[in-house]
Amino acid sequence: MKLLVVGSGGREHAIAKKLLESQGVDQVFVAPGNDGMTLDGLDLVNIGISEHSKLIEFAKENDIAWSFIGPDDALAAGIVDDFNQAGLKAFGPSRLAAELEWSKDFAKEIMVKYGVPTAAYGTFSDFEEAKAYIEKQEAPIVVKADGLALGKGVVVAETVEQAVEAAHDMLLDNKFGDSGARVVIEEFLDGEEFSLFAFVNGDKFYILPTAQDHKRAYDGDKGPNTGGMGAYAPVPHLPQSVVDQSVETIIKPVLKGMIAEGRSYLGVLYAGLILTADGPKVIEFNSRFGDPETQIILPRLTSDFAQNITDILDKKEPAITWLNEGVTLGVVVASEGYPLDYEKGLPLPEKTDGDIITYYAGAKFAENSRALLSNGGRVYMLVTTADTVSAAQEKIYDQLKKQDTTGLFYRHDIGGKAL
Ligand code: AMP
Ligand code: GLY
């Protein structure tokens, strides 16, 4: 069987690598992918994620059994609808189901309608109304661009003035373009943040191990928000009862609600949660796998990934099994300056193998050789599994110390909350 993964980051590297390890999978293509992936035997296809008809043509000509869609913008653009219309199977939600991610306001409406616990909120497109609402709340308060903003459209304001300024930036100064033409203003939720993922088809869902991302750029959760600087799974200090409660109060009602709305969900559902004093509450839904969470969750899958997804697509019961010991932890290495401006073309260390996996994101071969150079914000990620968080940290940080990371940076405290 031949498969296609759409996307180019570390998440897609992890998905494609795991699929290629599955029995019965002969070849995995990644469109457009990155050169680092070829070191794991993956085949790159030079087609962009928004070129749906070219992707469809490729999938048909190459007998692709099904495609796995990685990025949110592809899903929001209706790639799965287009594949399905062309008679092709794809693992990912339709454009209408993916609205859970691409409109925060829609996600909020669904949560309110189906009783899913989340922060109290108001949605505004008029600045004066937003300002009046903010002035009635207490700080801290959260201001979010309604649409997709690559994780950067959220301001956790420490004061009412800062919140008003953020709303001004989004609604009047157009800082986030169309994404910020509407803002969601939200109550600040206090508690531990974690990610809960499920593989879903309609009302059937399969929960993945819990994970915790580190969104801020620098140690101690300082600096700007990024796509994610490292993660680990499972989160050892989250009891199973919290997962069970999240399933009952969040996953089940939202999937039921989506069916009732005629937007039955297929694919990976990603719930970003905060464990508050009143139990888990939703900060956001994403309609896809997390990056970097995928890179630390999928190595824990002990069943046949391709067979599992085939079964879910066919509405058969999949036999999904996970490693139930130890912890898998990964640290992202990024270009200095990320998430703002950064240089490209820096030489990267050799790929690690065996005990420590290297997943590539922004990596590209030099003009005339197979030496990998940096080519993006998040460049690569080292991932390992060990008995404890501190043992995993030791392995990864020892390895990173041996690598030449000139011009690159990483956090030194991934997994720190578990210690
Ligand atoms: P999001 O893009 O919605 O994941 O938000 C980015 C980050 O902002 C989250 O990972 C949280 O750390 C923080 N955040 C978002 N919404 C809230 C909230 N209502 N209360 C507290 N923190 C929040
Ligand atoms: N890890 C954050 C995200 O994928 O959105």
Side-chain angles (χ1 to χ4, degrees):
M1 164 163 81
K2 291 191 277 185
L3 302 173
L4 171 66
V5 176
V6 174
S8 62
R11 166 182 56 206
E12 286 77 18
H13 188 172
I15 293 168
K17 180 174 156 75
K18 196 72 183 179
L19 288 174
L20 188 60
E21 286 164 10
S22 304
Q23 275 196 356
V25 174
D26 307 302
Q27 203 171 6
V28 178
F29 296 95
V30 191
N34 72 70
D35 286 342
M37 296 173 175
T38 63
L39 305 183
D40 277 325
L42 301 167
D43 289 293
L44 305 189
V45 183
N46 190 16
I47 305 176
I49 65 168
S50 55
E51 298 179 278
H52 298 186
S53 41
K54 281 194 190 164
L55 289 169
I56 287 168
E57 199 182 305
F58 175 86
K60 284 190 170 168
E61 277 174 4
N62 289 278
D63 270 329
I64 298 296
W66 44 261
S67 301
F68 197 118
I69 313 298
D72 48 352
D73 34 1
L75 297 162
I79 191 170
V80 172
D81 309 72
D82 290 346
F83 269 60
N84 290 167
Q85 261 169 29
L88 296 170
K89 285 188 198 173
F91 193 65
S94 65
R95 174 174 160 75
L96 283 181
E99 191 166 1
L100 267 187
E101 173 165 9
W102 59 259
S103 168
K104 292 193 191 282
D105 181 52
F106 172 78
K108 282 291 199 185
E109 274 179 22
I110 291 289
M111 286 189 263
V112 170
K113 189 163 172 187
Y114 296 96
V116 175
T118 185
Y121 79 109
T123 302
F124 303 91
S125 46
D126 179 81
F127 171 68
E128 289 304 328
E129 286 175 24
K131 183 166 178 261
Y133 179 85
I134 292 168
E135 283 169 347
K136 275 190 251 141
Q137 316 298 317
E138 277 170 32
I141 185 162
V142 185
V143 182
K144 300 184 174 184
D146 176 51
L148 295 178
L150 296 171
K152 289 163 200 153
V154 175
V155 176
V156 180
E158 300 295 335
T159 64
V160 165
E161 292 72 34
Q162 272 175 22
V164 171
E165 195 184 311
H168 191 283
D169 285 348
M170 291 179 197
L171 291 172
L172 293 183
D173 295 345
N174 230 10
K175 252 200 181 167
F176 294 92
D178 286 347
S179 288
R182 280 201 301 182
V183 297
V184 171
I185 297 169
E186 207 173 81
E187 164 201 12
F188 176 82
L189 298 176
D190 197 17
E192 177 126 8
E193 209 172 322
F194 66 104
S195 309
L196 191 65
F197 296 89
F199 296 138
V200 179
N201 191 352
D203 61 347
K204 294 278 188 193
F205 64 90
Y206 309 92
I207 296 292
L208 278 53
T210 53
Q212 196 165 54
D213 189 12
H214 297 64
K215 288 203 171 141
R216 300 295 195 99
Y218 312 131
D219 291 3
D221 287 335
K222 300 276 180 346
N225 258 320
T226 68
M229 294 299 296
Y232 61 104
V235 184
H237 49 289
L238 276 183
Q240 182 61 34
S241 60
V242 171
V243 177
D244 295 344
Q245 195 183 356
S246 306
V247 166
E248 290 306 318
T249 63
I250 295 165
I251 304 291
K252 282 187 184 171
V254 77
L255 294 181
K256 230 170 118 187
M258 292 299 277
I259 292 170
E261 300 288 322
R263 299 177 188 234
S264 181
Y265 198 94
L266 169 71
V268 181
L269 180 68
Y270 168 165
L273 306 178
I274 290 191
L275 181 56
T276 71
D278 304 326
K281 292 191 180 181
V282 177
I283 4 175
E284 61 166 355
F285 283 118
N286 293 315
S287 58
R288 52 168 175 90
F289 239 141
D291 188 343
E293 290 99 323
T294 308
Q295 294 92 307
I296 47 103
I297 289 179
L298 281 186
R300 301 186 66 77
L301 184 76
T302 48
S303 51
D304 188 300
F305 189 34
Q307 187 61 51
N308 292 156
I309 300 298
T310 301
D311 288 342
I312 295 171
L313 280 164
D314 293 346
K315 288 222 160 212
K316 287 189 194 146
E317 205 52 36
I320 303 177
T321 53
W322 300 98
L323 189 65
N324 48 29
E325 279 139 31
V327 55
T328 304
L329 181 141
V331 177
V332 170
V333 180
S335 303
E336 263 172 26
Y338 172 75
L340 301 172
D341 292 339
Y342 51 81
E343 247 185 88
K344 289 183 184 176
L346 298 164
L348 300 185
E350 292 279 301
K351 172 178 179 294
T352 57
D353 257 319
D355 219 17
I356 299 180
I357 312 173
T358 304
Y359 291 115
Y360 289 100
K364 193 177 182 338
F365 287 137
E367 285 277 303
N368 299 312
S369 77
R370 284 171 63 90
L372 276 177
L373 305 177
S374 68
N375 189 42
R378 290 189 291 181
V379 179
Y380 69 98
M381 181 174 183
L382 296 186
V383 172
T384 199
T385 299
D387 289 344
T388 60
V389 168
S390 43
Q393 282 181 328
E394 209 175 301
K395 274 165 74 180
I396 295 287
Y397 287 119
D398 278 354
Q399 181 66 35
L400 281 168
K401 270 186 222 144
K402 287 187 216 148
Q403 297 190 336
D404 180 3
T405 53
T406 310
L408 307 170
F409 79 101
Y410 54 86
R411 278 182 62 160
H412 303 81
D413 60 350
I414 301 302
K417 290 203 182 100
L419 298 177

